[in-house]
Amino acid sequence: MYPPCHLKSASSPAFEPFQIVCLEHATTHLYAEIIQITETTQTCWVRPLMLIQYMVEQCQSHPQPDFFFSDLRQGSDLLLPAALFRGALDTEVIPLIAKLTDQNTSEQFYSANHLKLTQFIRQVCLAYPEVFEDK
């Protein structure tokens, strides 16, 4: 497994508070809002917004990828290495943010989404242990 291209550079990306960023692993994308950057440790304090799990198999009759959408706005903030993130493009985020208002808001719904996020972060930690060294 090869890390995303943004993990290969020695310098961490420059992010600003309120910027939307994306952490990609396999077929899953975590979109989050930057709250603060710790320059000395290059750590991001982020507020998760949504987790998108893309379907692996697509047929030619569906030009748009199918995905599972998890609303994470009611969950906990995260502290993660800045090297894991890339800046999200407006064109990819705006259609997804529009879906946030259409989501179910039950406690069971948020609990299931929190579990998905926990599993995703565990996968990222296992896939890129070198990024978490000395953090």
Side-chain angles (χ1 to χ4, degrees):
M1 174 183 343
Y2 296 98
C5 60
H6 61 274
L7 288 181
K8 295 177 185 174
S9 70
S11 64
S12 293
F15 296 125
E16 299 289 327
F18 307 110
Q19 181 179 358
I20 305 296
V21 293
C22 182
L23 191 168
E24 299 176 12
H25 177 67
T27 59
T28 305
H29 295 182
L30 169 64
Y31 290 96
E33 177 186 2
I34 295 285
I35 303 301
Q36 186 176 0
I37 303 290
T38 305
E39 294 294 330
T40 55
T41 61
Q42 288 300 302
T43 302
C44 290
W45 169 12
V46 297
R47 182 154 297 141
L49 297 173
M50 62 194 122
L51 190 68
I52 308 296
Q53 296 170 294
Y54 290 96
M55 304 287 282
V56 176
E57 295 186 23
Q58 299 177 24
C59 63
Q60 292 181 349
S61 64
H62 292 93
Q64 295 293 324
D66 291 329
F67 57 86
F68 293 106
F69 183 94
S70 300
D71 183 346
L72 302 173
R73 293 175 295 168
Q74 299 299 318
S76 300
D77 292 352
L78 300 171
L79 289 171
L80 291 168
L84 292 172
F85 294 96
R86 67 167 175 81
L89 301 173
D90 293 347
T91 54
E92 73 182 294
V93 175
I94 291 172
L96 297 171
I97 288 177
K99 293 184 74 59
L100 285 175
T101 58
D102 298 336
Q103 297 299 304
N104 183 348
T105 57
S106 70
E107 190 171 318
Q108 181 180 7
F109 174 80
Y110 287 124
S111 179
N113 288 348
H114 177 73
L115 180 60
K116 289 177 189 175
L117 176 61
T118 301
Q119 292 169 341
F120 174 70
I121 296 299
R122 184 176 300 123
Q123 291 171 356
V124 169
C125 290
L126 292 173
Y128 309 112
E130 70 281 0
V131 177
F132 291 92
E133 292 174 0
D134 299 327
K135 294 289 177 200

